[in-house]
Structures are given as C-alpha cells and as structure tokens.
Amino acid sequence: MAKAVQKITLNRSEDIPFDKLELSQSNVRNVKAGVSIENLAEDIARRKLLQSLSVRPILDRDGKETGRFDVPAGGRRYRALELLVSQKRMARTEPVPCIVKRDGEISAEDDSLAENVHRADLHPLDQYRAFQTLREQGLGEEEIAARFFVSVATVRQRLRLASVSPRLLDLYAGDEMKLEQIMAFSITNDHVRQEQVWDTISRQHIRDTYYIRRLLTETTIRAGDRRAVYVGIEVYEAVGGIVMRDLFEQDNGGWLQHPVLLEQLVVEKLKADAEALKAEEGWKWVEAAFDFPYGHTSGLRRFHGKHRELSEEELARHDALKDEADKLDAEYAKAEVSSEDIEHRLEELGSELDQLNDRPYVFDRQDVARGGAFISLAANGELKIERGFVRPEDEPQVEGHSDDAEAGNGDIGGNVIGSSSAGGISVNSKPVSGDPVEDEDDTLRPLSDRLVLDLTATRTVALRNALASDPVIAFVAVLHAFVLKTFYLYGSDSCLELTLQSAKFSQTQGLGDTVWAKEIDQRHEAWGQDLPKNPDNLWGYLVALDEISRQVLFAHCASLSVNAVIEPWNKRTRAIAHAEQIARSIGFDMVEAGWAPTVDNYLGRVTKANILQAVREAKGEQSTQLVDHLKKQDMAREAERLLHGSGWLPGPLRTSVDAASADNLAAAVDKASDDTSEAGSNDLPASLTEDADLGDPNQAAQQSAGYLDAAE
C-alpha cells in the first residue's frame, strides 16, 4: 500500500506592533553590504515593505510566550523601520507583517543564513529591461538611479545594452556570451557590424573584449588622436561628426566615426593657421602638413632668431627673483632640517624665472622676408612650427663671392623636400609610402629591398644618436677613417661620410617622430642657438670653448655623417661592417634604444610567413598557433601584441657579435636551455632559441651580409 505524502504547512503571517519586536543576536549578517540602512528606510517610506520579517516568539523560563518576538531574519529591514520610528515618520506601535515560526526544529541562525544565501542577484539583462520599461513610463535616468540607489552611470550602462543586437542579447541570456563581451559590443549601434564581428570571433580562439572593441573601432579615429585634439571634438560634432563612446571602459573620449570629415577639418584649419602665420610674421612662404618626412629641410639654409630682449621692468624683476632664489638656496643648504615652505617658494621662483627666460624668438626682418616656416602637428595635437629656412633660389647673391651653397647633402631615394612651389601655402604634400605586400601570401620571403632600406635607415638614425653620446668613440671612429684614407689605398670605405654629407632619409615615414630623431633635432637646435651667426667668428668661438664642450660638439657633427643604410643598388659591405664595429664599441642595441616591431614599421610590410617566423623565434611554436589562422591584418596586430617586450629584432636591426662574444652567447644559451628543460618554459628571446646563430662562431659576424644575398 502506497504511503501518503505528508503535506507541507506554511507558517502563518501575523501583524505585530513594531515595539514588540527585537533584533536577534542570531542574525548572521554583521558586515555592511549593499544598500545602506538610510537608503532602505527611504525606499520603505516610499513603497512600504515588500517582504515580511521572519520572527520567533521570545519565551520565559517556563517556556511560555512573552508576547515579544526575536527577528533573526530581516535585520536590515528592522533597522530601517527603527530609523523611521526614531525620525518620527512611523509610530512605534505600527503593525509590521511578520512570518512567525514556533517550531524549534531549525535554529534561528540557520534561518538567517538561508535567507541571505538563497538570494539570487538580478540578471543584468533583466535589470536593463526593467530600467528600459521605467524609462518608457516616463522616468529619467536620474530618477531611476535615485529610486534604486544606484549611480546614474550604472543606469546608463544598463540602458546602453539597448544598442546591442537582439540576437547577441539572446546569446547572452543563454550563457553563450559573457557580460564583458556584451558590454564591448555596446560601443556601436550598428547591429549588422556587431553580428559580423561576433561571427568572426566565434570561429577563433581570441574572444577577449579588447579584440572585440578593436574590430568594432578599426575604421574610426581615437578622440586622443592629434588630429582630433587639434580640431576639437566640439567642432567635429558641430558639423555632424559622430563620436562612439564606451560607458563600460575608460575610452579616453571615444572614437570618431567619420575620418574623412576630420581630415577635411584638419586641412582647413592648417591652411588658416599657415596663412595667419605668414601674414602675422611676414614669412615669404609657409608650408603646412599633418607630417613632414624626416629630412624635409634638406638643402635649406637654417637661420636662428634671438630671444626678445627683456624690458627694464622685466630685467629688474628677473634680478629680484634671482637674488631671492640664491638667498633661499643658500639658507636651505645650511639648514639641518628641510623646510617645505622654502622648497615650495624655490619652486615658485624657478617657475617665474623660467617664464621670463622663455621668451619668443625675434628674427631679422631681411631673413624673414626671404625665409619660410613649416607647420605640422605635434604628437599632442598642438601646432609644431619650424621657423627660419631659406631656399637656395632665395639666397642673396653677393657680388664678388662664390656661393658656397651646401652641396652633396645626400637624400636616400632621391626625395628632396623643400624645393616645391615658390611663395605661398601648400598643404600636406607628403610622399606616399610604397612597399606593397600580398595580404594572403603564405611564402616565407626574404625582406624586400625597400624594407631593408627603411629598417637600416631607422637603425642609422638611432646609431647616430647613440654615437653622439659617446665622444671618445666618435673621435676614434673619425680617426679610424682618417688613417684608412691616409695609409691604405684599398678598403678605405667608412660609414662616416667625412665630407660631412648628411644623408636625409625622407622616404621613411614616421622617422622624424622617433625619440632618436627628436633628440638629434633638439641637440642641433641648441648648438645652432649658441654658435655665432657670422662664420668668420666661428674659429674664435671654438678656440674659447672648453674641452668637454668641443668634444660634445665634435661627437654631434661626427654622428650626423653616419650612414649605415643598405640600398638595393649599393650593398656597402665594408661600410656596414664598420658600422657594426662602432655599434659594438658603444654597446649599441636597437632593443635598448627603444625599437619594437609594430604593424607600421615591420609586421604590416612582410608576408604572413615572415610574421609567423618572428613570433616563433620570439615566443615559441605555441604562440604561433594563436595567430596562424588569422587574416594578414589581424595576424600583424596580434603579433605586435605578442612580440611586445620580447626583444625580438629583424635581421637588419641586429648588431652582429665577434667570435668571443659568440662563444659567450653560446654558453649562455646552453645554460638557458638546461634551465628551460627543467622549467618546461619555451618563452625565451630569439637570441636564446635560434640554434642557427650559434653553429659557427663566425656566422654572427657574417649575419649582416647574409641576408643581403637573399634580399629581393
């Protein structure tokens, strides 16, 4: 005979006056979390209680009910009601709906724990739909946030999910997507593009949110881009431009969706600024562009202005500030205990003196009338103005004297910038970079001649910068070249072009923005300001110069003659070997100098096989499996991320080592290989994983010339 199932009887609800209730010590919630008691009290005052309190009768010694009740579950609601009573917004005798438990089979602590543990947070999608319904009912974002005691940003983030494709929301509701992925898709309202990106990444290993955002914004421009900063987001939006924003992540201002419109605004503003500079300062010509190629001033004479003279009032102010700073500095040096007041005042005095010393330059009117300026955009979006250049055709012809114009300033590739139209304004007349590579070519090819040229041009500029910081080796390098030319009839080639022809690498875009080029320009500008304007006074200036300054100036001039560029029509084997000697002598390394492979400077300009080879050398075979299925553009971007910080270099940028160094490197690799076998790690730099570099001690020294034979 089947046994009857015992029916469950629920506890009855009773209304109990508030003053008959006491907060139980059995309540397990002791740590504050969630909505504050004050906010909960306000919510109860507005919408009344949504959930009853769970209470138990308090018994006397004989086990009889006393008419008072413990509250083991619902302590926060009890405290909120207590606050309303203390504020005289609710009577002490107000009946409170309670569930009364009179059986003693389950402890009060058990009930309290169950009430808190068995709760389930509202799904973000349900929260979004609820907020959406309230907004459709006429509530604003601020009012919704106030009612539910959340931030306005939280409400906006949830409502932003409305921009996501319904198909993707259904996938999220079915746990096929993560919340972070849904939030990444919300940066755009284009449902078609969202679904395309999801279909793409769903077939790949990489589904990270940064990758989703990058695919969705690959045709946009960052708000922090110098062009956007220069024009201004407000101006861009005023003419109809749209900005995509990410409410879930720090987006630094968002992404501009109309690049063509932005570029048009930049060109118009650059043209206006160029015309204003030409009219205001009286230059014969002004050229403007987003960027000028490195070496764009080749063939132009540079003249420098002088700081505007201080007025009598400014001079008196300067002397007073200097005297006060000297006295405070001496007082601070003698003090046994540091004084924050003195330090603060010294900083203020230093700032005021810097402002007085940072005066605009004044140029000779005759020079300005025949000279010109270049306007471009700096990395921070501000105008970069280079003043004081004279074209050869504008040079004054002095009767009876030959024109010693600068001749032989080599420009690799034959591109000489600065000899364009006569007076007037030209905008953005920069060369277009070539070097096309088939996107889907899976062949491991030798590096193209053009890429080798660009890479070695980059290395030459960095090597110049490094040599300038080592006057002793710079002197030895020049002396070495002199001895070769004096005592050896053959093999006297050197990478130092001692006629002081300075090659201009105008074909390599972006070279002028490198840290090495900027340091060279700053150093050159500083010496240009210090040297006498009249060349007849130069000898006396150099004689009076202290020895260290002469060495520094010598190193700077010598460094500018370095040319380690490999051209398809001129392999320059001996000159490149000489450049390697210089590089080893000063401990030069492109990784330490700051070069890293990017899409623009390498990965986007080689085949997929070359990209995979780079990742394999730097990170191992496992890392190549992360990107080998990607298209060329995506593979290059992912490879840039994987190679970041690895120290990997393409062949033309590697500094060769001599035989002794090769032996030391081999020993280091053997030890590293043993350690790697024990640790099971394959994440070694290329220099410690390439067996081919270690087979022959002379192979490393021949590396520089080795890839030349295979170059296209």
Side-chain angles (χ1 to χ4, degrees), residues 107-310:
S107 67
E109 290 82 359
D110 197 331
D111 282 351
S112 178
L113 181 61
E115 185 193 45
N116 290 282
V117 170
H118 291 171
R119 292 178 180 176
D121 290 335
L122 193 64
H123 194 281
L125 197 55
D126 292 330
Q127 193 176 21
Y128 144 66
R129 287 167 176 160
F131 286 166
Q132 183 78 352
T133 300
L134 291 175
R135 186 166 67 172
E136 291 172 356
Q137 293 175 356
L139 272 66
E141 294 171 351
E142 291 77 8
E143 189 174 357
I144 294 174
R147 284 194 178 188
F148 295 96
F149 306 105
V150 296
S151 67
V152 176
T154 299
V155 175
R156 288 175 179 166
Q157 287 175 350
R158 292 294 181 261
L159 291 174
R160 186 61 178 267
L161 296 182
S163 63
V164 180
S165 163
R167 175 191 162 200
L168 300 187
L169 291 178
D170 290 340
L171 292 173
Y172 172 52
D175 293 330
E176 296 183 48
M177 293 179 65
K178 298 179 181 178
L179 177 61
E180 293 78 10
Q181 293 172 322
I182 281 289
M183 293 190 301
F185 279 107
S186 70
I187 63 175
T188 178
N189 296 321
D190 189 343
H191 291 181
V192 174
R193 181 58 181 159
Q194 290 172 354
E195 293 177 7
Q196 288 175 345
V197 170
W198 173 251
D199 291 339
T200 298
I201 68 171
S202 60
R203 297 189 296 266
Q204 301 178 2
H205 300 291
I206 305 173
R207 299 187 183 183
D208 295 338
T209 55
Y210 83 89
Y211 188 51
I212 295 172
R213 288 185 173 91
R214 194 174 72 187
L215 291 178
L216 290 171
T217 60
E218 61 185 356
T219 60
T220 63
I221 294 177
R222 280 276 189 183
D225 184 274
R226 56 180 177 165
R227 292 166 292 177
V229 174
Y230 174 61
V231 170
I233 301 297
E234 300 80 6
V235 175
Y236 166 79
E237 290 181 316
V239 294
I242 298 176
V243 180
M244 292 167 47
R245 299 303 306 268
D246 190 344
L247 296 182
F248 298 94
E249 294 286 340
Q250 181 68 31
D251 63 7
N252 297 317
W255 297 265
L256 281 65
Q257 285 188 270
H258 299 97
V260 175
L261 174 61
L262 177 63
E263 299 236 345
Q264 179 183 349
L265 294 174
V266 173
V267 169
E268 291 174 355
K269 188 173 182 182
L270 273 175
K271 182 178 179 181
D273 286 338
E275 291 174 346
L277 180 69
K278 184 172 182 290
E280 181 179 347
E281 299 185 8
W283 299 103
K284 181 176 181 180
W285 53 267
V286 174
E287 288 192 18
F290 301 154
D291 284 301
F292 287 104
Y294 186 72
H296 64 284
T297 60
S298 174
L300 306 182
R301 178 174 64 86
R302 179 77 185 270
F303 61 90
H304 300 275
K306 294 183 178 180
H307 279 299
R308 177 182 58 80
E309 295 293 335
L310 289 172

Side-chain angles (χ1 to χ4, degrees), residues 512-553:
D513 291 328
T514 62
V515 63
W516 321 298
K518 290 180 179 178
E519 289 182 4
I520 290 173
D521 291 343
Q522 291 171 0
R523 190 162 51 243
H524 200 78
E525 177 73 17
W527 279 112
Q529 294 291 340
D530 291 342
L531 292 173
K533 186 175 181 180
N534 190 335
D536 294 339
N537 300 327
L538 179 60
W539 178 257
Y541 174 86
L542 295 177
V543 170
L545 203 61
D546 63 273
E547 183 177 357
I548 294 178
S549 297
R550 277 200 301 267
Q551 289 179 350
V552 172
L553 178 58

Side-chain angles (χ1 to χ4, degrees), residues 88 91 94 209 226 285 293 300 307 330 373 378 389 398 459 494-495 533 562 570 616-617 704:
K88 301 188 182 303
E94 177 66 26
T209 55
R226 56 180 177 165
W285 53 267
L300 306 182
H307 279 299
F389 296 91
V398 181
R459 185 172 186 262
S494 169
C495 72
K533 186 175 181 180
V562 172
N570 186 8
R616 186 179 296 110
E617 289 178 356
S704 153

Side-chain angles (χ1 to χ4, degrees), residues 451-461 564-566 652-653 707:
L451 179 55
V452 171
L453 189 152
D454 285 348
L455 291 173
T456 52
T458 302
R459 185 172 186 262
T460 297
V461 173
V565 172
I566 299 171
L653 296 187
Y707 63 83

Side-chain angles (χ1 to χ4, degrees), residues 435 445-450 452 568 571 607 707-712:
D435 195 43
R445 294 184 176 181
L447 303 184
S448 67
D449 293 337
R450 175 58 186 275
V452 171
K571 304 305 183 185
T607 66
Y707 63 83
L708 295 178
D709 298 333
E712 293 180 342

